[in-house]
Amino acid sequence: MLATGESLLMFVAQQGAFINFDKLRRIHKMPSSPHIINEPLNNGAIILYVAYLVLGWLVIRSVYRLWFHPLHRIPGSKLAAVTSFYEFYFDAIKGGRYLWQIEKMHEKYGPVVRINPREVHIKDSDYFHTIASGRRDKDTYNLNTIMTPNAALGTVGHDSHKVRRHIIDRVFSKLSIAKIDSMIQEKLEILMKRLNRARITGTVVDLNYTLANLTTDVISEYVYGESLGSLHEEEYQNTVVDDIQLSLGSFHYSRLSPTLLKLVRLVPMSLPGGGEKLTLEPFSRMVQLGREKSHEYLSGAISGDGVKKVTVLGALVADTVPPQEKTMERLVDESLAVLTGGILSTADVLAVALFHLGRNPSILQTLRQELFGSLSLSGDRIAWSQQSISITKLEKLPYLTAVIRESLRISHPVIVRSARVAAHATMYKDVVIPPGTPVSQSIYFVSMDPLIFPSPEIFNPDRWIEAAANGVNLTKFFVIFGSGSRACVGIHLAYAELYHIIAAFSSTFNWKLHQTGPEDVRTARDMLLAAPESGFLSIKAIITGTVE
Ligand code: HEM
């Protein structure tokens, strides 16, 4: 910073020869006698000259962006085309509101708009897969937000991503996830016992938080080989979730300025942003945890190949992995991306599912009829692991599947836009998008598109069943897990948790929502995860009894 400031001053001093100081002094009513001209400039004058230079540079840059930039023909707000601070204002200062500003631009200018000086956004549900398909990179500016450049998720280049994705694909395949089905069921049983205690004591349960204890323990056990023990933490506490949410508070800041974020890393501070505290302390704590666990694998204390337990870190240090991919940075980032990607996303969908089931007795009733009619559930369903109900069995239930699909659609947990960059020019209808342009789309717009999903705010699992019966391919618009080579690697794990938990919870407990209404669930902000008007999703319920 200092060096930059000094060189700027030197530049200003050099430019002095070309600046008409006399005129400037006249304009700003400074003393103008000849003997003053040769004296060093005072601080006020230097600041003024720097301000002129900066202003001049801003004007030239704005003119370029508006009339000469390759994107100058793409419609949109002029302010957005001139400066990224427009986006920064809505996302960082106002806390995740830019997506709705983008929506307004689409209403005014059509399906393709320029949303910042260098990025184009397309709102067209039919076009979603086109952007994600083929050979496309991700965009550095957008990836700044997630701060894990060495993870598959944070990798810019298409080819580098392919190598990295191949390594983790194996551990997250449907077959691999079926092998940890019993581990998921064991953890579910601990959760069911905890929920049953809440029933007995009449305690209000924060569903997101409590269900995130399970997703935390499942994913941490799969990544590190041992769980973080969230299910055994103090009731209704989850320090990992706290850390993730605190980190999400700063993610819009990191998009615009990774440097600002590095500063914050040095001096934790609070900045405005929808009430979230901007601090990187919790992120550093997660990095530290990843570092400790990765060290055990890299040092050979735990080997990748030959261990009985399959783990993500084990897969990352396996013999088949190229040596350049076996670095501390790589292991820390990948384990962090998988861990954080797999906790709140699924927990939020689960909580939203229970919210809607709790408000719709007839849907819950239909679901229960299917569960009791198709599975041989024994009396003690709290002991879920003894029910011997495999994921394969659950996946065959059409109504449960429709409930899960609809819960995923309506909760659309991963709401952050994810841009793709093609090396060649691409066409959207008759609009030419120049090569190298980040083009983004939003899962939220597709999932809530009233032309595809009529009355999108209504929870209606039957829409999936009716579409299938009528030969309508609604699944084409089911883009909740993304699309193409960068789509979610954790999809089978997410489904395994969703199937087991929704089946267990709804066949075992009766519950009523507590101080939680539609406005608490309605998505109003993009905090990487879908968030309501203030804070993060928090759905509360009281478990009133058990299902006989
Ligand atoms: C309902 C739950 C989930 C949803 C809705 C979801 C959604 C998504 C989406 C939309 C993407 C693509 C992001 C992009 O385009 O940049 C993604 C990527 C990813 N997800 Fe998930 N996810 C879920 C659960 C999980 C779980 C359980 C894991 C844990 C393994 C996970 C790990 C990842 C990773 C590592 C990526 C990056 C993949 C890559 O770039 O190759 N997700 N997820």
Side-chain angles (χ1 to χ4, degrees):
M1 285 292 279
L2 196 62
T4 320
E6 276 171 1
S7 43
L8 192 61
L9 285 181
M10 278 177 64
F11 176 72
V12 171
Q14 285 161 8
Q15 300 303 306
F18 306 103
I19 296 173
N20 187 340
F21 288 137
D22 223 13
K23 191 173 177 192
L24 277 176
R25 284 189 166 100
R26 271 201 314 279
I27 292 169
H28 293 284
K29 299 191 174 63
M30 292 172 182
S32 62
S33 57
H35 66 272
I36 296 178
I37 292 180
N38 292 329
E39 281 178 13
L41 297 171
N42 63 33
N43 286 348
I46 289 174
I47 290 171
L48 199 67
Y49 298 145
V50 172
Y52 273 117
L53 279 176
V54 172
L55 198 69
W57 172 71
L58 284 176
V59 169
I60 292 168
R61 196 184 65 169
S62 305
V63 168
Y64 168 73
R65 287 178 169 174
L66 282 176
W67 288 289
F68 301 99
H69 191 280
L71 296 181
H72 76 276
R73 288 187 208 283
I74 309 276
S77 147
K78 296 284 176 254
L79 212 49
V82 162
T83 173
S84 299
F85 276 96
Y86 186 70
E87 171 183 5
F88 184 78
Y89 170 74
F90 285 104
D91 262 351
I93 309 291
K94 295 197 85 181
R97 315 270 177 180
Y98 197 45
L99 198 59
W100 288 268
Q101 201 58 25
I102 292 176
E103 189 170 37
K104 282 187 192 149
M105 279 193 241
H106 281 300
E107 278 160 16
K108 189 165 174 190
Y109 301 105
V112 52
V113 291
R114 184 179 180 189
I115 57 168
N116 62 39
R118 51 190 292 285
E119 186 177 341
V120 164
H121 189 278
I122 294 178
K123 186 171 180 277
D124 180 342
S125 301
D126 280 311
Y127 200 72
F128 192 91
H129 296 289
T130 315
I131 285 178
S133 65
R135 198 190 157 73
R136 284 167 205 247
D137 291 344
K138 274 196 177 176
D139 175 42
T140 318
Y141 171 76
N142 279 284
L143 285 181
N144 284 337
T145 52
I146 48 168
M147 299 186 287
T148 48
N150 304 295
L153 176 69
T155 302
V156 175
H158 176 87
D159 293 331
S160 320
H161 172 263
K162 209 168 168 185
V163 173
R164 292 179 170 173
R165 178 63 186 248
H166 180 68
I167 298 166
I168 50 170
D169 259 344
R170 195 170 53 94
V171 268
F172 285 109
S173 69
K174 202 165 164 57
L175 191 69
S176 297
I177 296 303
K179 287 184 185 155
I180 59 164
D181 207 28
S182 56
M183 183 263 272
I184 296 173
Q185 290 185 48
E186 276 160 28
K187 301 219 183 301
L188 178 53
E189 188 164 325
I190 303 173
L191 178 78
M192 294 294 279
K193 285 181 180 154
R194 175 179 275 200
L195 291 167
N196 198 39
R197 279 202 301 280
R199 174 185 69 82
I200 294 162
T201 55
T203 313
V204 175
V205 180
D206 184 322
L207 290 172
N208 305 67
Y209 222 62
T210 310
L211 299 168
N213 286 326
L214 180 132
T215 54
T216 305
D217 281 5
V218 168
I219 191 66
S220 56
E221 177 143 353
Y222 202 43
V223 172
Y224 302 134
E226 57 183 338
S227 95
L228 290 175
S230 297
L231 283 165
H232 299 283
E233 269 194 55
E234 187 89 352
E235 298 266 334
Y236 317 118
Q237 266 215 338
N238 188 328
T239 41
V240 186
V241 168
D242 290 342
D243 281 353
I244 294 175
Q245 290 187 336
L246 278 168
S247 306
L248 289 180
S250 58
F251 104 101
H252 284 303
Y253 283 89
S254 59
R255 191 200 299 264
L256 186 79
S257 171
T259 319
L260 174 68
L261 214 64
K262 277 181 201 141
L263 260 180
V264 178
R265 197 185 281 255
L266 291 174
V267 191
M269 59 173 105
S270 285
L271 285 176
E276 284 80 17
K277 192 170 181 231
L278 176 59
T279 163
L280 278 189
E281 245 177 83
F283 186 72
S284 311
R285 264 200 299 276
M286 290 192 287
V287 170
Q288 187 53 31
L289 174 73
R291 207 166 272 283
E292 283 161 21
K293 302 284 182 189
S294 301
H295 178 71
E296 292 172 16
Y297 280 83
L298 280 172
S299 66
I302 306 175
S303 73
D305 291 325
V307 283
K308 288 196 189 75
K309 222 176 199 174
V310 174
T311 62
V312 177
L313 281 177
L316 291 172
V317 296
D319 288 345
T320 45
V321 175
Q324 71 275 14
E325 289 295 317
K326 287 190 212 174
T327 63
M328 178 59 96
E329 289 71 30
R330 173 89 183 92
L331 263 65
V332 170
D333 279 9
E334 194 64 87
S335 58
L336 210 61
V338 168
L339 187 85
T340 51
I343 294 179
L344 276 174
S345 49
T346 317
D348 281 357
V349 181
L350 284 164
V352 169
L354 298 180
F355 170 83
H356 288 290
L357 289 171
R359 283 170 58 89
N360 292 283
S362 64
I363 296 177
L364 180 59
Q365 186 56 26
T366 313
L367 177 63
R368 281 179 177 160
Q369 272 165 7
E370 180 179 77
L371 292 172
F372 286 107
S374 322
L375 309 169
S376 37
L377 293 166
S378 72
D380 185 12
R381 292 185 295 284
I382 306 288
W384 188 256
S385 66
Q386 288 158 34
Q387 300 284 335
S388 308
I389 295 171
S390 67
I391 177 69
T392 328
K393 221 184 249 180
L394 291 171
E395 279 171 345
K396 293 199 177 102
L397 304 183
Y399 199 72
L400 176 59
T401 302
V403 165
I404 289 173
R405 276 236 162 111
E406 185 67 348
S407 306
L408 281 159
R409 182 196 67 79
I410 211 164
S411 58
H412 43 260
V414 178
I415 195 173
V416 61
R417 66 175 200 269
S418 179
R420 299 287 184 275
V421 183
H424 49 85
T426 36
M427 294 294 291
Y428 171 75
K429 297 190 176 157
D430 56 349
V431 179
V432 183
I433 299 169
T437 305
V439 182
S440 53
Q441 271 195 136
S442 305
I443 288 170
Y444 169 76
F445 291 141
V446 182
S447 304
M448 302 304 276
D449 185 340
L451 296 176
I452 312 283
F453 304 104
S455 308
E457 304 282 348
I458 307 247
F459 181 76
N460 175 16
D462 285 309
R463 67 172 91 233
W464 298 97
I465 291 172
E466 285 159 15
N470 298 331
V472 176
N473 184 10
L474 213 49
T475 48
K476 180 184 160 203
F477 302 100
F478 185 67
V479 294
I480 288 300
F481 291 99
S483 172
S485 59
R486 304 291 186 118
C488 182
V489 76
I491 182 168
H492 302 299
L493 176 57
Y495 269 123
E497 292 172 339
L498 289 166
Y499 272 103
H500 274 300
I501 297 176
I502 294 178
F505 196 102
S506 44
S507 65
T508 308
F509 297 119
N510 291 316
W511 69 99
K512 66 169 194 233
L513 296 163
H514 177 78
Q515 294 177 353
T516 309
E519 67 289 354
D520 302 303
V521 177
R522 194 177 60 81
T523 302
R525 299 186 310 130
D526 160 14
M527 297 306 292
L528 196 153
L529 293 178
E533 197 57 44
S534 72
F536 287 93
L537 207 58
S538 169
I539 296 169
K540 297 187 186 69
I542 295 176
I543 299 175
T544 51
T546 50
V547 182
E548 296 313 321

